[in-house]
Amino acid sequence: MKSLINSIDDAVTETLSGLSYMYPQLEYQASHKVVLMPDLENRKDKVSIICGGGSGHEPFAAGFVGSGMLTASVAGAIFAAPPSQHISYCIERVSQYSRAGVLVVIPNYTGDCLNFGIAIEKARQTGLKVLEVIVNEDCSIPSEDQGVAGKRGLSGLVFVMKIAGALAERGLSLEDIYETVQNILKNMVTYAVGLTACAIPGQPPMFELAEDEIECGMGVHGEAGYEKIKLGTCNEVIAFILKRICDSLPLVGGDSVAAIVNNFGALSQLEQGIVVHDLTNQLRHMNIKLLRIYSGVLMTSLNSAGIHITLLKLPECHKDLFISCLDDPTDAPQWPGCTYSIPLKNKQIVTRDNVTRNIKQVGIEINSKQQNLLKQCLKSACESIIEKETLINDLDRGCGDGDCGTTLKRLANEILQGLDRYYLSHPSSVFSELAYIAEEEMGGTSGALYCLFFTSVATELASADAEEDWLHIWARALRSGLNCLLKYGKAKPGYRSMVDVINAVCETYENVLHNELIEICVTIKAAAWQACETTKNMVPKVGRASYVKQAQYLQNVDAGAHAVATWISAIIDVIKNIKM
């Protein structure tokens, strides 16, 4: 798989070096891959918190070094525990100025436990005060199926580091911090689902995963999980995860929790926000009080796409302490919390504003047969766009963002849903409604263009004379819509866009106005598809395609032009087959 590295042997050293450039107050000891917080000499009476493990999990653990979290971190090679001598160096450095003791936070993986254990025993031999906690909150593997290694340490490590670091900053003793961390471990679980396997740079993916499957119970080293299930909606996946978590903790209505949504590294931020949305709403529906939620790229698995969800149960006896520690400030650069993470008192959550729109019946009025024709034209146009969704998306791929068909489908679906409530007796009102739908449902450039087009058509229809021939009224309305696009959209005929088809239709329509209706329809339809075909040989000058210079992406017709030709053809076919 492709990756941006120089050498696999230098990858860890270089990424930690990059971190030190971004946050120059952190001290980076390259020879031992240790990152230390600044001003260690001022921590004479404070416990030191250290953590670490294999690399490939960035920003864990170096990104959490700073006042209020880790005193220092130590990194191993990719997916490999750090050598014990490097851990020993880390313990010695943080103990140089403080004799309050060291709490070592260890992810429960065999290599980490062994190497950290060696360093801890050596430190104790020299008289240093060291306690260790092994984080093992993974709840994906049933107890009867667990091996002697036990449960893995996952993104719950971040909760441990934050709370322990806050207590150390407050000056609590090593024993008190250790006891609090034990209480955290008793009340915390993590469950993970993966959408893709990861790959160490230069190697293939760790395992195969079908396009319609997700891996449940993945760790952070690319290993396969406990089971595979079919991919569902985000809401369904979160419900599955919560069922496992609630059974493990256990959680019941009335309980309070804090949550972490951790990105494996390759999940988009759009998806991560949806995960937070669904998790929050499902907990609310379960009457579980979500007092804090943190989300981000925290403990990754290289280039894998997936999420960990960690829930920390907040029993009444520990709730205030846990929450206050989570809210305490920290200088650690990658902690996802901030002052905005703390809820405002009495804040009301508005899920959707209720906007009342008043579409007036304006302009000329049409009879029932004409209303039926208008309705059938809209219906046919929308259905044809929905049918062509995949094709239009394919045309948009490479020279656009591959969603033109899907965007138009949203418009078409919304129009179809409202067909029975439009004021079909007043065409101007119908097109005002279409303009609103285009702006609301499509968004972006396409939504704005269709909104402008429909708005201008509505304006022209509103001022039309009821005594005038309808063929002339519609010709002027289309021309008005085109002129509006030319004015605001920057596209001109020949620029490879939807304008090419609309312009050809307008010119053709105006030239054959005095012909028979059937002949007009046949001529306009042919002109629309001919104009669409000519876009294949045009150099794009507007839209995203104008930035594309690779010829292989510009060999097909323009997606927007094809869409216009599609719905115009559908309308023409209806007009030819319905008797006025």
Side-chain angles (χ1 to χ4, degrees):
M1 297 184 71
K2 291 183 285 188
S3 56
L4 275 178
I5 64 167
N6 298 308
S7 163
I8 191 69
D9 295 331
D10 298 329
V12 176
T13 299
E14 289 176 353
T15 194
L16 290 173
S17 176
L19 180 78
S20 71
Y21 292 149
M22 287 187 288
Y23 307 107
Q25 292 188 36
L26 295 174
E27 179 186 344
Y28 171 44
Q29 291 292 335
S31 59
H32 295 87
K33 298 182 179 63
V34 168
V35 175
L36 302 111
M37 64 182 293
D39 302 321
L40 288 177
E41 64 274 11
N42 297 328
R43 297 183 57 82
K44 294 179 180 178
D45 299 319
K46 294 180 179 178
V47 170
S48 298
I49 313 293
I50 70 171
C51 186
S55 296
H57 309 305
E58 293 73 25
F60 174 85
F64 301 115
V65 174
S67 174
M69 281 195 80
L70 293 181
T71 314
S73 70
V74 56
I78 294 176
F79 292 170
S84 63
Q85 60 267 33
H86 292 185
I87 303 168
S88 293
Y89 172 84
C90 186
I91 294 174
E92 291 166 6
R93 280 297 309 273
V94 299
S95 302
Q96 186 175 354
Y97 298 101
S98 173
R99 291 292 168 175
V102 181
L103 181 68
V104 182
V105 180
I106 308 172
N108 189 34
Y109 294 95
T110 303
D112 291 313
C113 290
L114 289 172
N115 287 358
F116 274 95
I118 293 170
I120 290 167
E121 291 304 316
K122 287 182 178 180
R124 287 173 178 158
Q125 286 178 357
T126 64
L128 294 180
K129 188 178 180 181
V130 183
L131 291 177
E132 78 276 3
V133 290
I134 297 176
V135 179
N136 56 348
E137 88 287 8
D138 178 19
C139 70
S140 65
I141 303 175
S143 56
E144 61 271 17
D145 292 338
Q146 291 173 16
V148 293
K151 298 182 290 184
R152 296 169 291 195
L154 303 174
S155 52
L157 282 153
V158 180
F159 270 146
V160 172
M161 292 185 291
K162 180 62 178 73
I163 295 175
L167 294 175
E169 201 61 32
R170 295 180 186 184
L172 269 70
S173 70
L174 178 60
E175 292 75 16
D176 287 342
I177 298 173
Y178 176 85
E179 182 180 351
T180 298
V181 171
Q182 294 304 315
N183 290 327
I184 295 171
L185 297 179
K186 293 174 184 175
N187 289 284
M188 181 175 68
V189 297
T190 296
Y191 197 93
V193 295
L195 280 67
T196 64
C198 76
I200 293 175
Q203 297 185 19
M206 295 281 195
F207 59 89
E208 296 296 326
L209 189 60
E211 286 296 320
D212 64 343
E213 290 181 333
I214 57 176
E215 194 78 19
C216 299
M218 279 179 66
V220 290
H221 297 98
E223 69 270 31
Y226 179 73
E227 60 183 328
K228 290 179 174 65
I229 64 171
K230 293 296 182 181
L231 173 64
T233 64
C234 181
N235 210 41
E236 290 168 344
V237 172
I238 299 305
F240 172 84
I241 293 173
L242 280 180
K243 176 66 168 60
R244 300 300 177 91
I245 287 177
C246 288
D247 289 346
S248 180
L249 263 176
L251 279 176
V252 296
D255 285 340
S256 298
V257 296
I260 286 175
V261 176
N262 172 54
N263 189 326
F264 280 9
L267 194 74
S268 73
Q269 295 300 294
L270 179 78
E271 293 163 282
Q272 187 157 353
I274 296 170
V275 171
V276 172
H277 168 270
D278 287 347
L279 175 63
T280 302
N281 286 335
Q282 289 194 33
L283 288 172
R284 184 181 296 122
H285 291 151
M286 296 164 66
N287 194 30
I288 294 172
K289 302 169 188 175
L290 180 59
L291 302 187
R292 297 291 185 275
I293 184 165
Y294 307 96
S295 176
V297 180
L298 307 175
M299 188 177 185
T300 60
S301 183
L302 289 172
N303 56 355
S304 179
I307 54 163
H308 291 105
I309 290 181
T310 301
L311 290 190
L312 173 60
K313 188 176 180 180
L314 303 170
E316 286 301 321
C317 56
H318 304 306
K319 181 168 66 175
D320 290 343
L321 176 62
F322 288 175
I323 288 295
S324 66
C325 288
L326 292 173
D327 291 346
D328 276 1
T330 176
D331 295 331
Q334 298 298 330
W335 167 245
C338 64
T339 54
Y340 282 5
S341 302
I342 304 171
L344 294 173
K345 293 182 179 179
N346 302 321
K347 178 183 177 181
Q348 292 185 344
I349 298 177
V350 179
T351 56
R352 188 179 181 94
D353 293 332
N354 292 320
V355 179
T356 302
R357 292 185 299 112
N358 184 19
I359 300 295
K360 297 180 180 179
Q361 299 180 52
V362 297
I364 54 180
E365 188 172 352
I366 59 178
N367 60 41
S368 58
K369 287 186 178 180
Q370 291 170 325
Q371 290 177 42
N372 182 58
L373 175 60
L374 177 58
K375 184 175 183 179
Q376 292 305 312
C377 285
L378 290 173
K379 184 173 183 291
S380 180
C382 291
E383 289 174 346
S384 65
I385 285 295
I386 292 170
E387 182 182 349
K388 292 281 190 76
E389 176 194 7
T390 301
L391 173 60
I392 297 172
N393 278 344
D394 289 341
L395 293 174
D396 191 41
R397 198 164 285 117
C399 57
D401 49 10
D403 69 345
C404 182
T406 301
T407 302
L408 284 165
K409 180 183 177 180
R410 289 203 302 270
L411 170 67
N413 278 330
E414 194 65 23
I415 292 173
L416 288 175
Q417 289 180 22
L419 267 182
D420 293 329
R421 69 170 185 268
Y422 302 150
Y423 295 127
L424 293 169
S425 58
H426 293 75
S428 176
S429 300
V430 173
F431 277 88
S432 293
E433 185 77 30
L434 300 187
Y436 174 84
I437 294 171
E439 187 174 22
E440 283 290 302
E441 297 299 324
M442 296 177 73
T445 303
S446 297
L449 290 173
Y450 272 91
C451 178
L452 282 169
F453 181 75
F454 291 146
T455 298
S456 188
V457 169
T459 301
E460 185 64 35
L461 293 175
S463 62
D465 185 347
E467 301 300 321
E468 190 176 5
D469 180 65
W470 264 105
L471 290 176
H472 288 79
I473 293 174
W474 282 114
R476 277 205 318 277
L478 286 173
R479 173 61 68 178
S480 176
L482 172 62
N483 289 340
C484 193
L485 293 180
L486 296 175
K487 179 179 179 180
Y488 293 105
K490 297 184 180 180
K492 295 180 180 179
Y495 281 12
R496 197 177 193 269
S497 74
M498 62 187 284
V499 162
D500 290 296
V501 175
I502 298 176
N503 178 70
V505 167
C506 283
E507 289 184 348
T508 303
Y509 190 1
E510 291 161 353
N511 289 333
V512 297
L513 259 176
H514 299 290
N515 296 348
E516 293 294 326
L517 179 60
I518 295 297
E519 184 180 347
I520 292 174
C521 290
V522 171
T523 306
I524 289 175
K525 182 175 179 178
W529 284 114
Q530 182 180 353
C532 174
E533 186 66 20
T534 60
T535 63
K536 183 184 296 184
N537 302 315
M538 293 179 182
V539 176
K541 296 183 179 180
V542 290
R544 289 186 176 90
S546 63
Y547 302 109
V548 177
K549 306 305 178 187
Q550 298 181 61
Q552 67 265 33
Y553 297 124
L554 301 171
Q555 295 175 356
N556 292 316
V557 299
D558 178 70
H562 191 279
V564 173
T566 296
W567 57 256
I568 283 178
S569 293
I571 291 172
I572 292 295
D573 289 343
V574 170
I575 293 174
K576 286 194 302 182
N577 295 323
I578 292 185
K579 295 182 179 180
M580 296 293 294

